[in-house]
Amino acid sequence: MFNERVQSNRERQREQTRERVVDCAQRRFAAHGFSATTVRQIAADAGVSVGTVMGVGDKDALLVAAFDGWIGAVHAGRGPVAPAGDPVTRIGEVVQPFLDIFDADIALARDYGAVLARGGRSSEVFGALAQALQADFAEVFADAGFGDDAGPAGRAVYLAYLGLVMTSAATGGDAASIRADLEAVAAVLFRTTSKET
């Protein structure tokens, strides 16, 4: 029982240290940018050693964790998809809260996209968020009469969104262009299906 309590305390301390390091990284990235921030500065801000920071993650991993926190907060606060309106606009409205994060600091968002595009870093948010966005997109397509094709259409739009976010780092795209391009993809799907009926 004593060992379990000690282990539980250690795990809690480790998680608190991780949260402090990520919080300091978030603040430092937001204030100074990704390139200008060093692991040593994050360690000093967090009051821990460089080794402790590296135990949480290198700079790339910390940037992904920072965006996980920001995106996760937006995801948790999202309401349901608007029940009516132009379906193409509804698709754009689904992602707008996330695009607002990118708009808040486009340079940092591009650094994030570049880290993800390089690979080797996974984002905790992509699992739950991917499912939620695909379900939201599928709902819009279902409301537009796609029936059994609503799910695959929602997945296609999600994959287009993911590709647009990732490539924005290389293309210099901003949030408005990502939304416009995503809505253009959705419009093609809506037109294609309406031609088939």
Side-chain angles (χ1 to χ4, degrees), residues 35-192:
S35 297
T37 297
T38 67
V39 170
R40 187 173 306 282
Q41 291 166 333
I42 294 168
D45 289 355
V48 299
S49 70
V50 169
T52 298
V53 171
M54 293 303 291
V56 174
D58 64 10
K59 224 167 84 163
D60 285 358
L62 291 173
L63 182 61
V64 171
F67 268 89
D68 275 355
W70 293 322
I71 292 169
V74 168
H75 176 53
R78 285 183 336 126
V81 177
D86 172 56
V88 171
T89 302
R90 287 176 67 200
I91 292 290
E93 288 170 355
V94 167
V95 297
Q96 190 60 53
F98 305 106
L99 295 177
D100 289 343
I101 293 171
F102 299 144
D103 258 352
D105 189 337
I106 197 71
L108 193 58
R110 287 186 183 132
D111 288 330
Y112 172 67
V115 167
L116 293 178
R118 283 195 296 268
R121 301 282 178 249
S122 64
S123 172
E124 295 173 17
V125 170
F126 281 141
L129 182 59
Q131 292 175 351
L133 287 177
Q134 288 178 54
D136 288 350
F137 293 145
E139 182 180 333
V140 174
F141 284 104
D143 291 348
F146 270 55
D148 291 341
D149 291 333
R155 181 166 172 73
V157 168
Y158 171 75
L159 292 172
Y161 169 67
L162 193 58
L164 289 165
V165 168
M166 296 244 197
T167 58
S168 68
T171 63
D174 60 6
S177 65
I178 292 170
R179 179 171 175 167
D181 289 345
L182 183 65
E183 288 179 346
V185 168
V188 168
L189 289 171
F190 286 113
R191 277 195 309 272
T192 302

